[in-house]
Amino acid sequence: MLTKPLRGIIPPAITPMIDNDTLDIIGLEKLLNRMIQGGVSGVFILGTSGEAQNISYNVRKELIKETCRIVARRVPVLVGITDTSFSESLSLAASAAHYGADALVAAPPYYFAPGQAELIQYYNDLANQLPLPLFLYNMPSHVKVMIEPETVLSLSKNPNIIGLKDSSANGVYFQKLIYLLKDDPEFTLLCGPEEMTAEVVLMGGHGGVNGGANLFPDLYVALYNAAACKDFEKLAELQSQVLKISLSLYNIGKYASSYIKGVKTALNLMGVCSDYMGEPFHKFKDAEREIIRKNLMDLNIKSDDL
Amino acid sequence: MLTKPLRGIIPPAITPMIDNDTLDIIGLEKLLNRMIQGGVSGVFILGTSGEAQNISYNVRKELIKETCRIVARRVPVLVGITDTSFSESLSLAASAAHYGADALVAAPPYYFAPGQAELIQYYNDLANQLPLPLFLYNMPSHVKVMIEPETVLSLSKNPNIIGLKDSSANGVYFQKLIYLLKDDPEFTLLCGPEEMTAEVVLMGGHGGVNGGANLFPDLYVALYNAAACKDFEKLAELQSQVLKISLSLYNIGKYASSYIKGVKTALNLMGVCSDYMGEPFHKFKDAEREIIRKNLMDLNIKSDDL
Amino acid sequence: MLTKPLRGIIPPAITPMIDNDTLDIIGLEKLLNRMIQGGVSGVFILGTSGEAQNISYNVRKELIKETCRIVARRVPVLVGITDTSFSESLSLAASAAHYGADALVAAPPYYFAPGQAELIQYYNDLANQLPLPLFLYNMPSHVKVMIEPETVLSLSKNPNIIGLKDSSANGVYFQKLIYLLKDDPEFTLLCGPEEMTAEVVLMGGHGGVNGGANLFPDLYVALYNAAACKDFEKLAELQSQVLKISLSLYNIGKYASSYIKGVKTALNLMGVCSDYMGEPFHKFKDAEREIIRKNLMDLNIKSDDL
Amino acid sequence: MLTKPLRGIIPPAITPMIDNDTLDIIGLEKLLNRMIQGGVSGVFILGTSGEAQNISYNVRKELIKETCRIVARRVPVLVGITDTSFSESLSLAASAAHYGADALVAAPPYYFAPGQAELIQYYNDLANQLPLPLFLYNMPSHVKVMIEPETVLSLSKNPNIIGLKDSSANGVYFQKLIYLLKDDPEFTLLCGPEEMTAEVVLMGGHGGVNGGANLFPDLYVALYNAAACKDFEKLAELQSQVLKISLSLYNIGKYASSYIKGVKTALNLMGVCSDYMGEPFHKFKDAEREIIRKNLMDLNIKSDDL
């Protein structure tokens, strides 16, 4: 079911929660169904946007189970198994395989920062024991280390490593990946930051893992399609909307987590799911929520379900 | 059993392992017994030196159980519960209380870097739900955020927060803590880097959580005592040994984990325990091991058990 | 003579030197004439590639004079005045105006890192006293601070601030600039890293200040033109050459200055100018020079003058 | 006149200015005379506290001249020659020698961050051409690179390199220096942060280059003496005053330059000199000035000249 390369928009799903240990299952259903109706090419759970690290392992496994149930093979399900503990990554992967997910995603272990040689050994050791194919996940702001382009090239030779999601926002890095992997057309290269998805697709990247697709999945799918078809007129208009979302919803308050808070608050205002945030974070208070409400209305997005 | 403040040397125990999921129990017994015979004031398990983040939760809980059994209340046991997931921290804390540990230690959640206001709320929420008293753990190189002095002062008002271990190596930071907490003589201030323990104790700090005390517990206890008694002649000699250890055992290879690899290799050479390292790290190869062997002999330490 | 916006390739010229205090004037002539024959839209001297900070003020002023003489108004000359000292920036600017340069370029003061409010005041104070229009220069890796998008938007209202060169490699940053400045079509947005110039131009940026244009000016001009015309077939071929240059010439040795050393060595091998580097840097030794020679031949670039 | 090692307090003098290009000579006289009356062992001009990088070269040279005239060989004068340009460093050094200064101080070039091998070559090249002996200046927060302990050890073999000032606040670093240089008793090791001077002197360091000695030179001299004599009772009281100064005067506002602004404002309130700051910085506005005034009064320091 997983095409190679995987093209299009794969939203990094936020995790709807009622409290620190309870999923908002109804919200999860609405969230995932909206995405699939919006035309996404897959869903990615338990990434940074999914607050994976803040959620207990039991809840993470429940989320895998419920997501696979709801998605019901309509699109591929990618499951984050990023962990500092190798054994816990394997355990999450086993759950993902058991419940029918399609692929796994792992950023480097994030307490001690490994060197490049250690990363190569780590990812090969991991991929060789995984029951599903693996996407690398470059996330230096949280993990303190880049998966260098030459490291990715080396790891791409492992048949169980099938792609990479880059959340570095470093455009030089992405172009080096496209160049170094040009002889491996099945290796998927996906862009994290939605502000860069259009340009990355124009240059040969395969798609975006864009947080905004939690809110307006059809908009980001349209953006991807316009870039893939090189329809620059449409692209200009859509890119402008994407930037307006980015500048008006993701920077409220001065938190490292402002982006997730903004997305969850907007989803809650749109009636999709709860805006509860797992510890150590906390949902927006009223003043910040009002800013999101106003900015959301100002967006005036012609999304199918608004 | 836990004195306030807690004074002296509390080694951050490495975790002896046979493979990624199996403790080296015999090694653990030797390690802990040597520490206690060396005169330490407590042992701290599941810290950075203990590779806590790399070990599965089951093994972490087994380590808590075995440590409490071996130590058998001869000295206090401090248990690291640092986690990105609040619920998993609580679960580790429950195990610690169940098996008879004395206190808990927590660095900030380490994937997203929280701000100072978020840290205050997080630590108060945590301490209020913990079954044992809590030490803060300042570890900015791994966690990406300092627990600022004013934040520590605020948190010290929580009766269940009883001290702090500082591994920042920032001398200005430690002096600010001593000054700000001068009216709270029961609040414990411990120094991580062994190279700084002497000066910190001379200035009013309470002791050291020093990795080298895995190797030569009596040496670090003697260093602490010399500093506490202001015996400068003895101190000069001991400080020189401590620096020689630091410069000859902790910097072999260019790894973020060189220090732990050096300690584990030396312990293995000394017949104490296995040198296995949990993924994503790997024990030293022969060439590096030979350097440690040679440097260990050159140290010529008159430790009781060498 | 300076169009608004300034479009195309504006090479950040390296500074040909014979020794620490003597320009290689003959090399400078060859370098600049090749650029102009290659179709560049301007030349930028005394930037990072020009080792400006390493050169004495007398030599910087001589370089301004000689460059203006050689270029002789065939294309605009942009002069870097980045300095920690406001007065020295003004003095360099006065020389630039005196000798007939067209515009100035300034990164933030780079010893103390200013905050955004300080940057706004600094750049307005500076621009208001300058005899020529000013380009902002975003260079966080060297300067330790980003000129945030909102800061750029504020500064763009100053009539003497006419554009920005971004060397951050941060693609999200550049897209935010394009969006925020969409109502100011005369404000120039230029991309430093050559690996990103194509995508930035496709998305609405105006051109590139690309170091590789010291070596192969016509190649980078062709890249710009292909992007500006959306000729994707040609673009793919040219982008591939640009990446090959980047990956084979700029990363020899593990120096922060590897890129400049690579460019200077290649220029010397091509017979253009001296490869002397100002203190604290030093030109490549024979082994590294041989790698550059071999990689340069492997590039097999069909440049007009090779 | 320069003893080896140089012991005691050597204040890093702020630079009294009337405007961006004019020294406050009367303020400078008061400032330096208070220091000498306070018992300092030397004065250090054109360091970070002296805003050297923000001042034009002409004014820097005038400051050297006036300082040497005022000090009139009562204590040694150390002159900062830190620069990105080797030639400008030599030019400043020539002025220092001409006007009768005693030694030079240089942090690494601070635009491009050199590697350790480059630092060794740079400092040897520099020291070999200097007319006066050189102190190294470790300042990683501004310069982006540490002068590693092994690099210092190597450079200490150069007879014209006679010491180091460390402003890293890293206590492990300083202890490593003391250990590595224990066989070179003439090599001076000075501590930048005043909060750490006492402990560093207790452990074998030679003194402090402490910004607060601009304000209360006799207090810091007394702190040094108490540490040198191991008079712990006096030390406790003095250290407490030093920390109170640090916590109440240096952190007003959220500027990288808050410390210098605080010192200059306090000096102005004490009637010593102007509080003008060179671009890109600006003196405190009224609200911040009032906080400094209040906090200064609360200090209630029994300084000779208050």
Side-chain angles (χ1 to χ4, degrees):
Chain A
M1 180 174 175
L2 205 61
T3 59
K4 292 189 182 177
L6 179 57
R7 296 181 188 275
I9 299 297
I10 300 97
I14 58 94
T15 302
M17 286 187 276
I18 289 165
D19 64 35
N20 225 29
D21 292 307
T22 313
L23 295 177
D24 168 11
I25 301 287
I26 294 169
L28 181 67
E29 283 202 41
K30 284 194 204 167
L31 180 76
L32 294 170
N33 285 333
R34 288 178 80 248
M35 287 174 180
I36 296 171
Q37 286 153 21
V40 303
S41 303
V43 297
F44 166 39
I45 58 169
L46 292 175
T48 304
S49 300
E51 299 170 79
Q53 274 61 40
N54 298 347
I55 303 174
S56 76
Y57 288 87
N58 284 341
V59 176
R60 288 191 223 180
K61 288 171 187 176
E62 191 193 348
L63 178 69
I64 297 170
K65 177 183 168 188
E66 295 296 332
T67 300
C68 289
R69 176 186 64 76
I70 296 164
V71 172
R73 302 199 175 277
R74 288 178 285 174
V75 296
V77 173
L78 283 64
V79 175
I81 61 167
T82 302
D83 211 288
T84 54
S85 161
F86 196 83
S87 300
E88 299 296 350
S89 287
L90 292 181
S91 172
L92 287 165
S95 287
H98 176 73
Y99 292 117
D102 299 272
L104 306 166
V105 183
Y110 46 92
Y111 188 73
F112 267 98
Q116 299 300 311
E118 289 171 320
L119 279 178
I120 289 175
Q121 183 165 359
Y122 169 77
Y123 273 120
N124 278 320
D125 287 356
L126 185 65
N128 294 341
Q129 296 188 43
L130 290 177
L132 292 172
L134 178 67
F135 288 86
L136 308 174
Y137 183 178
N138 189 47
M139 186 40 139
S141 62
H142 289 57
V143 163
K144 291 170 289 191
V145 63
M146 291 285 273
I147 312 175
E148 294 291 349
E150 290 75 11
T151 300
V152 177
L153 180 60
S154 165
L155 290 170
S156 72
K157 312 300 183 193
N158 187 313
N160 211 25
I161 296 177
I162 62 168
L164 175 136
K165 176 199 171 185
D166 174 35
S167 292
S168 70
N170 186 312
V172 172
Y173 177 80
F174 209 99
Q175 291 306 312
K176 286 185 176 174
L177 291 181
I178 290 175
Y179 176 79
L180 288 173
L181 290 154
K182 64 186 182 307
D183 300 326
D184 188 354
E186 294 198 342
F187 194 87
T188 300
L189 292 173
L190 298 171
C191 175
E194 55 208 71
E195 301 88 345
M196 291 178 70
T197 293
E199 69 195 273
V200 155
V201 170
L202 287 172
M203 298 299 292
H206 301 111
V209 183
N210 303 147
N214 282 281
L215 298 169
F216 310 110
D218 49 356
L219 170 64
Y220 292 82
V221 170
L223 179 86
Y224 167 78
N225 287 334
C229 305
K230 303 187 170 42
D231 178 345
F232 279 89
E233 198 175 339
K234 197 158 198 173
L235 189 57
E237 183 198 326
L238 294 164
Q239 176 74 356
S240 190
Q241 286 185 317
V242 164
L243 266 293
K244 199 169 174 187
I245 292 168
S246 167
L247 287 162
S248 66
L249 298 186
Y250 300 166
N251 296 311
I252 310 306
K254 288 283 178 190
Y255 310 99
S257 55
S258 285
Y259 145 71
I260 302 181
K261 287 180 180 172
V263 171
K264 279 200 155 177
T265 303
L267 282 168
N268 185 250
L269 288 165
M270 290 158 66
V272 176
C273 62
S274 163
D275 59 347
Y276 184 86
M277 300 270 304
E279 284 268 9
F281 299 117
H282 298 275
K283 66 179 185 178
F284 276 147
K285 303 218 176 85
D286 284 350
E288 294 155 325
R289 184 179 173 91
E290 274 314 297
I291 299 173
I292 296 287
R293 184 197 304 272
K294 186 186 161 304
N295 291 354
L296 195 57
M297 285 177 58
D298 288 353
L299 283 174
N300 193 24
I301 302 234
K302 284 170 295 227
S303 181
D304 291 350
D305 42 15
L306 273 182
Chain B
M1 180 175 178
L2 204 61
T3 60
K4 291 188 182 177
L6 179 57
R7 295 182 188 275
I9 299 296
I10 299 97
I14 58 95
T15 302
M17 286 186 275
I18 288 165
D19 63 35
N20 225 31
D21 292 308
T22 314
L23 294 177
D24 168 11
I25 301 287
I26 294 170
L28 181 66
E29 284 203 38
K30 285 194 203 169
L31 181 75
L32 295 170
N33 285 331
R34 289 177 79 246
M35 287 174 180
I36 296 170
Q37 286 154 22
V40 303
S41 304
V43 297
F44 166 39
I45 58 169
L46 291 174
T48 305
S49 301
E51 299 171 79
Q53 274 61 41
N54 298 347
I55 303 174
S56 75
Y57 288 86
N58 284 340
V59 176
R60 287 190 224 180
K61 288 172 186 175
E62 191 193 348
L63 179 69
I64 297 169
K65 177 183 169 188
E66 294 297 332
T67 299
C68 289
R69 177 187 62 77
I70 296 164
V71 171
R73 303 201 175 275
R74 289 178 286 174
V75 296
V77 173
L78 284 64
V79 175
I81 60 167
T82 303
D83 212 287
T84 53
S85 161
F86 196 82
S87 299
E88 299 296 351
S89 287
L90 292 182
S91 172
L92 287 165
S95 287
H98 176 74
Y99 292 118
D102 300 271
L104 306 166
V105 183
Y110 45 93
Y111 187 72
F112 267 97
Q116 298 300 311
E118 289 171 320
L119 279 178
I120 289 176
Q121 181 165 0
Y122 169 77
Y123 273 119
N124 278 321
D125 287 355
L126 185 65
N128 293 342
Q129 297 188 42
L130 291 178
L132 292 172
L134 178 67
F135 287 86
L136 308 174
Y137 183 178
N138 189 44
M139 187 38 140
S141 62
H142 290 57
V143 163
K144 290 169 290 192
V145 64
M146 292 284 272
I147 313 174
E148 295 291 350
E150 289 75 11
T151 300
V152 177
L153 179 60
S154 164
L155 290 170
S156 72
K157 312 300 183 193
N158 186 314
N160 211 25
I161 297 176
I162 63 169
L164 175 137
K165 176 200 171 184
D166 174 35
S167 291
S168 71
N170 186 312
V172 172
Y173 177 79
F174 209 98
Q175 292 307 312
K176 286 185 177 175
L177 291 181
I178 290 175
Y179 176 79
L180 288 174
L181 290 153
K182 64 185 183 308
D183 299 327
D184 187 354
E186 294 198 342
F187 194 86
T188 301
L189 293 172
L190 298 171
C191 175
E194 56 208 69
E195 302 87 346
M196 291 178 70
T197 293
E199 70 196 273
V200 155
V201 170
L202 286 171
M203 297 300 292
H206 301 113
V209 182
N210 303 147
N214 281 281
L215 299 169
F216 310 111
D218 48 357
L219 170 64
Y220 292 82
V221 170
L223 178 86
Y224 168 78
N225 287 333
C229 305
K230 304 193 169 34
D231 179 343
F232 279 90
E233 199 174 337
K234 198 158 198 174
L235 189 57
E237 183 198 327
L238 293 165
Q239 175 75 355
S240 190
Q241 285 185 315
V242 164
L243 266 292
K244 199 169 173 186
I245 291 168
S246 167
L247 287 161
S248 66
L249 298 185
Y250 300 165
N251 297 310
I252 310 305
K254 287 284 177 192
Y255 310 99
S257 55
S258 285
Y259 145 72
I260 302 181
K261 287 180 180 173
V263 171
K264 279 201 152 177
T265 303
L267 282 169
N268 186 250
L269 289 164
M270 290 159 66
V272 176
C273 63
S274 163
D275 59 347
Y276 183 86
M277 299 271 302
E279 283 267 10
F281 299 117
H282 298 275
K283 66 179 187 179
F284 276 149
K285 303 219 175 83
D286 285 350
E288 292 155 325
R289 184 178 172 89
E290 275 316 297
I291 299 172
I292 295 287
R293 183 196 304 274
K294 187 187 160 305
N295 290 355
L296 195 56
M297 287 178 57
D298 288 352
L299 283 174
N300 194 26
I301 303 236
K302 284 170 295 225
S303 181
D304 291 351
D305 42 15
L306 272 183
Chain C
M1 179 173 177
L2 205 61
T3 58
K4 291 188 182 179
L6 179 57
R7 295 181 187 275
I9 298 297
I10 300 97
I14 60 94
T15 302
M17 286 186 276
I18 289 163
D19 64 33
N20 226 30
D21 292 308
T22 314
L23 295 176
D24 168 11
I25 301 287
I26 293 169
L28 181 66
E29 285 203 40
K30 284 193 204 169
L31 180 76
L32 295 170
N33 285 331
R34 288 177 80 247
M35 288 174 179
I36 296 170
Q37 286 153 23
V40 302
S41 303
V43 296
F44 167 38
I45 58 169
L46 292 174
T48 304
S49 300
E51 298 171 80
Q53 274 61 41
N54 298 347
I55 303 174
S56 75
Y57 288 87
N58 284 340
V59 175
R60 286 192 224 180
K61 289 172 185 174
E62 189 192 349
L63 178 69
I64 297 170
K65 176 184 169 188
E66 294 297 331
T67 300
C68 289
R69 176 186 64 77
I70 295 164
V71 171
R73 302 198 175 275
R74 288 178 286 173
V75 295
V77 173
L78 284 64
V79 175
I81 60 167
T82 302
D83 212 288
T84 54
S85 161
F86 196 83
S87 300
E88 299 295 351
S89 287
L90 291 182
S91 171
L92 287 165
S95 286
H98 176 73
Y99 292 118
D102 300 89
L104 306 167
V105 183
Y110 46 94
Y111 188 72
F112 267 98
Q116 298 300 311
E118 290 171 319
L119 279 177
I120 289 175
Q121 182 166 1
Y122 169 77
Y123 273 119
N124 277 321
D125 288 354
L126 185 65
N128 292 343
Q129 297 188 41
L130 290 177
L132 293 172
L134 177 68
F135 287 86
L136 308 174
Y137 183 178
N138 189 45
M139 188 36 142
S141 61
H142 290 57
V143 164
K144 291 170 289 190
V145 63
M146 292 283 273
I147 313 175
E148 294 291 351
E150 290 75 10
T151 301
V152 177
L153 179 61
S154 165
L155 290 170
S156 72
K157 311 300 183 193
N158 187 313
N160 211 24
I161 297 178
I162 62 168
L164 174 138
K165 175 198 172 185
D166 174 36
S167 291
S168 71
N170 186 313
V172 172
Y173 177 79
F174 209 99
Q175 292 306 312
K176 287 184 176 173
L177 291 181
I178 290 175
Y179 176 78
L180 288 173
L181 290 153
K182 64 186 183 307
D183 298 327
D184 187 355
E186 294 198 342
F187 194 86
T188 300
L189 292 173
L190 299 170
C191 175
E194 56 207 69
E195 301 88 345
M196 291 177 71
T197 293
E199 70 196 273
V200 155
V201 170
L202 286 171
M203 297 300 292
H206 301 113
V209 183
N210 302 148
N214 281 280
L215 298 168
F216 310 111
D218 48 356
L219 170 64
Y220 292 82
V221 170
L223 179 86
Y224 167 78
N225 287 333
C229 305
K230 303 189 170 40
D231 179 343
F232 279 90
E233 198 175 339
K234 197 158 198 175
L235 189 58
E237 183 198 327
L238 293 165
Q239 176 75 355
S240 191
Q241 285 185 317
V242 164
L243 266 294
K244 199 169 174 186
I245 291 168
S246 167
L247 287 162
S248 66
L249 298 186
Y250 301 165
N251 296 310
I252 311 305
K254 288 284 178 190
Y255 310 100
S257 56
S258 285
Y259 145 71
I260 302 182
K261 287 180 179 174
V263 171
K264 278 201 154 177
T265 302
L267 282 169
N268 186 250
L269 288 164
M270 289 159 66
V272 176
C273 63
S274 164
D275 59 348
Y276 183 86
M277 298 271 304
E279 284 267 10
F281 299 118
H282 298 274
K283 66 179 186 178
F284 275 149
K285 302 221 176 82
D286 284 351
E288 293 154 325
R289 184 179 173 90
E290 274 315 298
I291 299 172
I292 295 288
R293 183 197 304 272
K294 186 185 161 308
N295 290 356
L296 195 57
M297 285 178 58
D298 288 354
L299 283 175
N300 194 26
I301 303 235
K302 285 172 293 226
S303 180
D304 292 350
D305 44 14
L306 274 181
Chain D
M1 179 174 177
L2 204 62
T3 59
K4 293 188 181 178
L6 179 57
R7 295 182 188 275
I9 298 297
I10 301 97
I14 59 94
T15 302
M17 286 186 276
I18 288 165
D19 63 35
N20 225 30
D21 292 308
T22 313
L23 294 178
D24 167 11
I25 301 288
I26 293 169
L28 181 67
E29 284 203 40
K30 286 193 203 169
L31 180 77
L32 294 170
N33 285 332
R34 288 178 81 248
M35 288 174 180
I36 296 171
Q37 285 154 23
V40 303
S41 303
V43 297
F44 166 40
I45 57 170
L46 292 174
T48 304
S49 300
E51 298 170 81
Q53 275 61 42
N54 297 348
I55 303 174
S56 75
Y57 288 86
N58 283 340
V59 176
R60 288 191 223 180
K61 288 172 186 175
E62 190 192 348
L63 178 69
I64 297 170
K65 177 183 169 189
E66 295 297 332
T67 301
C68 289
R69 176 185 64 76
I70 296 164
V71 172
R73 301 200 176 275
R74 288 178 285 173
V75 296
V77 174
L78 283 65
V79 175
I81 60 167
T82 302
D83 212 289
T84 54
S85 162
F86 196 81
S87 300
E88 299 296 350
S89 287
L90 291 182
S91 171
L92 287 165
S95 287
H98 176 73
Y99 293 117
D102 299 90
L104 306 166
V105 183
Y110 46 93
Y111 188 73
F112 268 99
Q116 298 300 312
E118 289 171 320
L119 279 178
I120 290 175
Q121 182 165 358
Y122 168 77
Y123 273 119
N124 278 320
D125 288 355
L126 185 65
N128 292 343
Q129 297 188 43
L130 290 177
L132 293 172
L134 178 68
F135 287 87
L136 308 174
Y137 183 0
N138 189 46
M139 187 38 139
S141 62
H142 289 57
V143 163
K144 292 169 289 190
V145 63
M146 291 284 272
I147 313 175
E148 294 291 350
E150 291 74 11
T151 300
V152 177
L153 180 61
S154 165
L155 290 170
S156 72
K157 311 300 181 193
N158 186 314
N160 211 25
I161 297 176
I162 62 169
L164 175 136
K165 175 200 171 184
D166 174 35
S167 292
S168 70
N170 186 313
V172 172
Y173 177 80
F174 210 99
Q175 292 306 312
K176 287 185 177 174
L177 291 181
I178 290 175
Y179 177 79
L180 288 173
L181 289 153
K182 64 184 183 307
D183 299 328
D184 188 354
E186 295 198 341
F187 194 86
T188 301
L189 292 173
L190 299 171
C191 176
E194 57 208 66
E195 301 88 346
M196 292 178 70
T197 292
E199 70 195 274
V200 155
V201 170
L202 286 171
M203 297 300 292
H206 301 112
V209 183
N210 303 147
N214 282 281
L215 298 170
F216 310 111
D218 48 357
L219 170 64
Y220 292 82
V221 170
L223 178 87
Y224 167 77
N225 287 335
C229 305
K230 302 187 171 39
D231 179 343
F232 279 89
E233 199 175 338
K234 198 157 198 174
L235 189 57
E237 183 198 326
L238 294 165
Q239 176 75 356
S240 190
Q241 284 185 316
V242 163
L243 265 293
K244 199 169 173 187
I245 292 169
S246 166
L247 287 162
S248 66
L249 299 186
Y250 300 166
N251 296 311
I252 309 307
K254 288 284 178 191
Y255 310 99
S257 56
S258 284
Y259 146 71
I260 302 181
K261 287 180 181 175
V263 171
K264 280 201 153 178
T265 303
L267 282 169
N268 186 250
L269 289 165
M270 289 159 66
V272 177
C273 62
S274 163
D275 60 347
Y276 184 86
M277 300 271 303
E279 284 268 10
F281 298 118
H282 297 275
K283 65 178 186 179
F284 276 147
K285 302 217 175 86
D286 284 350
E288 294 155 325
R289 184 179 174 90
E290 274 315 296
I291 299 173
I292 295 288
R293 184 198 303 272
K294 186 187 161 306
N295 290 356
L296 195 57
M297 285 178 58
D298 288 352
L299 284 173
N300 193 23
I301 303 234
K302 285 172 294 229
S303 181
D304 291 349
D305 41 16
L306 273 182

